[in-house]
Amino acid sequence: QVQLVESGGGLVQPGGSLRLSCAGSGSIFSIYALAWYRQAPGEQRELVADIRSSGRTNYADSVKGRFTISRDNAKNTVYLQMNSLKPEDTAVYYCNAGGYYIGDNYRPGYYWGQGTQVTVSS
């Protein structure tokens, strides 16, 4: 069983930055592929970024060049550094663990965090 707890969300002005963290339990966390998703009101949950156990990363086109996903296996934590934030980045952000790949496309695993709200507004 893996439990995921996100933190770091909040209110930020357009152009600002936030760093989200997702701490996982379980000694096998380091072998999992990990990902960040987001869901805006009235919208479907969408994949933002994913990272393999090897460290290879993928990003949604809408966040490329602005967001960076990283992981610290010693701390069982995955991060999402978000820069140059835009109002359209407003959403609840969720981390996911244990997914798999079809080609380069990440498919979510069973484990989800509870979500953290990110609001970008002036």
Side-chain angles (χ1 to χ4, degrees), residues 39-60:
Q39 188 168 20
E43 302 289 333
Q44 289 188 338
R45 193 171 296 190
E46 65 172 351
L47 178 63
V48 175
D50 58 83
I51 184 166
R52 300 176 191 244
S53 57
S54 65
R56 181 179 174 184
T57 59
N58 288 310
Y59 297 91

Side-chain angles (χ1 to χ4, degrees), residues 99-118:
Y100 63 96
Y101 287 88
I102 299 177
D104 283 337
N105 297 311
Y106 181 87
R107 295 292 183 264
Y110 178 77
Y111 304 108
W112 292 93
Q114 83 287 355
T116 185
Q117 176 70 47
V118 172

Side-chain angles (χ1 to χ4, degrees), residues 67-87:
F67 290 11
T68 302
I69 188 171
S70 61
R71 64 192 296 163
D72 185 337
N73 291 334
K75 295 182 178 180
N76 283 354
T77 301
V78 59
Y79 303 97
L80 186 68
Q81 177 66 44
M82 305 185 294
N83 298 328
S84 302
L85 283 160
K86 305 175 181 179

